[in-house]
Amino acid sequence: MDQLDLRQDSILFGEQEYAMALDTVIAVAQQRLLIFDQDCSIGHFTSVKRYDLIHAFLIKNATTQLTIILQNVNFFTLHCPRLYALLATYSHKIKIYETNNSAKAEKDCFIIADNQAYIRRFHIDQARFKYALNDAETTASLVDRFEALLQETSRALSATQLGLS
């Protein structure tokens, strides 16, 4: 299966399908990519392909912006070295935040591309998701939710350590 059936308002199943839908949504992003996830352990964020897609997004133009909100940054910092390296290289384009305790109860995850495309996994433990490439209405509600989650962050992740060595 190389392409997904882009059925609007359909619920899709499967980890492989989820990874392909992630690829699709990330690939269509031109300006802004918003990611809310528990820790990036699901969705092939450790893969070369995911790195290549996110890197390609970041170099599309001078104004691309990637914002990631994670409930726990440990998996990301320990198991996603390629993406972590992007934070060091493109710190002017990437912001990564960790939620405070009140937002750790959220069990879904989603990615938004340019306020038009999205993928939303309903529960992190189940490979049930929905996505669309041209759904401004649903995407707007997810952007509002992302902004609310951003208010519930406790710290920003940095690729550089400050202080004396």
Side-chain angles (χ1 to χ4, degrees):
M1 179 189 278
D2 289 340
Q3 253 183 338
L4 290 172
D5 179 9
L6 300 178
R7 296 169 285 160
Q8 297 283 329
D9 299 321
S10 294
I11 296 174
L12 303 173
F13 300 90
E15 294 297 345
Q16 183 178 5
E17 290 80 5
Y18 181 67
M20 286 189 287
L22 283 173
D23 293 343
T24 302
V25 171
I26 293 169
V28 301
Q30 298 296 312
Q31 293 292 324
R32 187 170 124 165
L33 196 56
L34 306 175
I35 299 174
F36 169 64
D37 200 278
Q38 278 64 40
D39 59 7
C40 288
S41 63
I42 295 174
H44 302 275
F45 284 95
T46 60
S47 72
V48 173
K49 184 173 187 176
R50 185 72 63 241
Y51 164 83
D52 287 343
L53 284 168
I54 291 174
H55 184 249
F57 163 74
L58 291 168
I59 62 173
K60 278 185 181 175
N61 63 60
T63 62
T64 54
Q65 290 291 315
L66 168 62
T67 306
I68 301 173
I69 300 174
L70 300 172
Q71 290 179 330
N72 187 321
V73 298
N74 291 339
F75 183 89
F76 182 86
T77 58
L78 295 173
H79 300 287
C80 300
R82 293 177 195 93
L83 295 180
Y84 196 70
L86 288 177
L87 177 61
T89 304
Y90 298 100
S91 61
H92 60 292
K93 293 181 163 209
I94 302 174
K95 303 293 180 231
I96 301 175
Y97 301 95
E98 184 173 30
T99 64
N100 61 26
N101 287 335
S102 65
K104 292 193 188 308
E106 302 294 327
K107 295 300 176 195
D108 65 337
C109 54
F110 55 89
I111 295 179
I112 304 163
D114 297 331
N115 298 344
Q116 289 292 318
Y118 75 92
I119 180 169
R120 181 173 177 246
R121 186 174 177 124
F122 298 113
H123 193 283
I124 193 64
D125 294 333
Q126 301 170 359
R128 291 177 45 237
F129 65 95
K130 189 174 184 181
Y131 84 110
L133 299 181
N134 291 300
D135 185 349
E137 185 177 330
T138 302
T139 305
S141 68
L142 287 172
V143 169
D144 289 344
R145 185 148 171 254
F146 190 87
E147 295 297 330
L149 286 164
L150 195 55
Q151 298 302 312
E152 298 295 325
T153 58
S154 57
R155 70 179 181 124
L157 188 62
S158 174
T160 59
Q161 291 188 355
L162 300 177
L164 300 174
S165 47

